[in-house]
Amino acid sequence: MIDRLEASLNFHQQALGLRQERQKVLSSNIANADTPGYKARDMDFASDLKQAVSRTGQDGLSLSRTTERHLEGSGAPLGSRDLLYRVPAQPSLDGNTVDMDVERAQFADNSVRYQSALTILNSRIQGLKKAMQPE
């Protein structure tokens, strides 16, 4: 039964973790908007999520269990995602490829998607809690 609960929440857990990582990448781009030669980075969220969901329980980090009653914990090491370089719409003279309009839009979009994923996960957990409580 625990395996089913874990599997049902795995997708949302992986999505939240990836959204958090993407937020860090986008905020790094914004912070380096005036750094000469800085190349804007981003990640392919869909393919990274697909890999993270399919890889759960395999490869990556795993926690040692001191008793068989413990759940297995695993995940990808932080910073192991392949970051992509963003192609600039208009190159700058100093070699910086950060476009603040694009970065702000991506940051806001990612924030909204993170919040909605969190809301969905919260409602799912509340539904499971209600199902487990006696009437």
Side-chain angles (χ1 to χ4, degrees):
M1 169 127 171
I2 296 294
D3 292 339
R4 288 186 196 163
L5 289 174
E6 183 180 358
S8 70
L9 299 176
N10 180 44
F11 177 81
H12 298 292
Q13 175 187 358
Q14 296 295 332
L16 282 173
L18 284 172
R19 290 272 173 221
Q20 178 186 3
E21 284 185 42
R22 185 163 187 238
Q23 203 73 349
K24 288 179 184 178
V25 171
L26 294 172
S27 62
S28 176
N29 288 346
I30 291 171
N32 288 295
D34 294 328
T35 305
Y38 183 82
K39 307 295 181 203
R41 307 292 301 266
D42 203 355
M43 57 194 293
D44 184 4
F45 183 81
S47 68
D48 285 348
L49 181 60
K50 187 176 181 180
Q51 284 179 352
V53 170
S54 67
R55 186 177 53 220
T56 301
Q58 307 168 2
D59 301 328
L61 298 175
S62 62
L63 301 175
S64 58
R65 297 176 4 180
T66 56
T67 180
E68 290 301 316
R69 295 182 299 176
H70 291 165
L71 298 175
E72 282 189 39
S74 64
L78 293 176
S80 68
R81 308 275 180 236
D82 292 330
L83 293 179
L84 308 171
Y85 289 101
R86 194 166 286 173
V87 178
Q90 183 176 0
S92 65
L93 294 176
D94 64 358
N96 188 314
T97 62
V98 176
D99 182 355
M100 284 301 288
D101 292 332
V102 171
E103 299 303 326
R104 283 189 201 119
Q106 293 295 325
F107 190 87
D109 179 65
N110 194 61
S111 297
V112 169
R113 290 176 188 266
Y114 181 88
Q115 188 62 42
S116 64
L118 196 58
T119 302
I120 290 169
L121 183 60
N122 190 26
S123 66
R124 192 123 192 222
I125 290 171
Q126 293 301 323
L128 289 172
K129 282 173 58 177
K130 285 181 184 178
M132 291 181 201
Q133 290 178 349
E135 292 185 41

